Amino acid sequence: MRVGFGLGSNIGDKPENIRKALRWLEERGVARLAAVSRVYRTPPWGVLDQGDFANACAIGETTLSPYELLAAVKKIEADMGREPSRRWGPRLIDVDILFLGDHTLDDPELTLPHKELFGRGFVLLPLVEIAPDLVLDGAPVKEALASVDVEGVRPWAEG
């Protein structure tokens, strides 16, 4: 089943944290990735008194059910050293499930497609980079991107 991930980090070597999480998604059999966006530098969102984030998206295939997938990405976050923090606060790694096939779920543990996907330029920009024709829940992601703020979201320049 087709799956989309949004990844973010703003602690330590941010781009490397994303690359490591992407490697672990494949190495642990969570998903076989078919497309990975560039890493983007993004100003903090929600809680502004923290450093810039690195963000990226990936699309692939998985055989896991929604809750198996959720458990697998939470384990990757924990194994990488993510610790609980305030909502939208600093994090070593965040791996969000953006969509899973055409599943729609809305419960406290998991919402599919991701409930904030269509309002976040830092997710839509890398997602449109790798899947410009993607339609989720009847909404083309390219159209959603045109209606959100992407100020400050730019490709990560190494060094």
Side-chain angles (χ1 to χ4, degrees):
M1 187 171 336
R2 195 169 190 207
V3 62
F5 298 101
L7 299 97
S9 173
N10 80 333
I11 296 174
D13 185 339
K14 304 164 194 182
E16 178 53 30
N17 292 339
I18 288 175
R19 288 188 288 268
K20 182 175 183 179
L22 289 166
R23 279 193 310 272
W24 283 12
L25 285 169
E26 289 205 294
E27 289 171 5
R28 294 179 176 201
V30 176
R32 188 172 32 83
L33 300 180
V36 177
S37 74
R38 293 177 288 179
V39 175
Y40 287 81
R41 181 183 295 271
T42 305
W45 186 92
V47 175
L48 303 181
D49 63 338
Q50 58 184 323
D52 283 356
F53 278 80
N55 290 101
C57 287
I59 292 177
E61 294 289 324
T62 187
T63 58
L64 300 180
S65 73
Y67 292 100
E68 290 170 334
L69 188 61
L70 180 63
V73 299
K74 293 297 177 202
K75 178 142 180 51
I76 287 172
E77 290 176 345
D79 289 353
M80 283 184 64
R82 178 171 175 178
E83 297 177 359
S85 69
R86 61 189 169 157
R87 183 169 170 82
W88 299 323
R91 68 232 13 234
L92 179 77
I93 190 66
D94 186 31
V95 182
D96 286 335
I97 304 165
L98 301 179
F99 63 89
L100 179 61
D102 51 12
H103 280 278
T104 54
L105 278 172
D106 187 9
D107 76 37
E109 274 190 80
L110 182 60
T111 301
L112 293 172
H114 191 285
K115 64 184 169 215
E116 294 163 356
L117 164 67
F118 292 105
R120 293 180 168 177
F122 64 86
V123 175
L124 290 168
L125 193 62
L127 188 57
V128 167
E129 175 190 324
I130 58 174
D133 299 322
L134 182 64
V135 176
L136 294 175
D137 217 14
V141 294
K142 198 170 194 174
E143 286 180 21
L145 175 61
S147 68
V148 298
D149 179 14
V150 293
E151 186 177 342
V153 180
R154 60 197 185 279
W156 191 279
E158 298 292 335

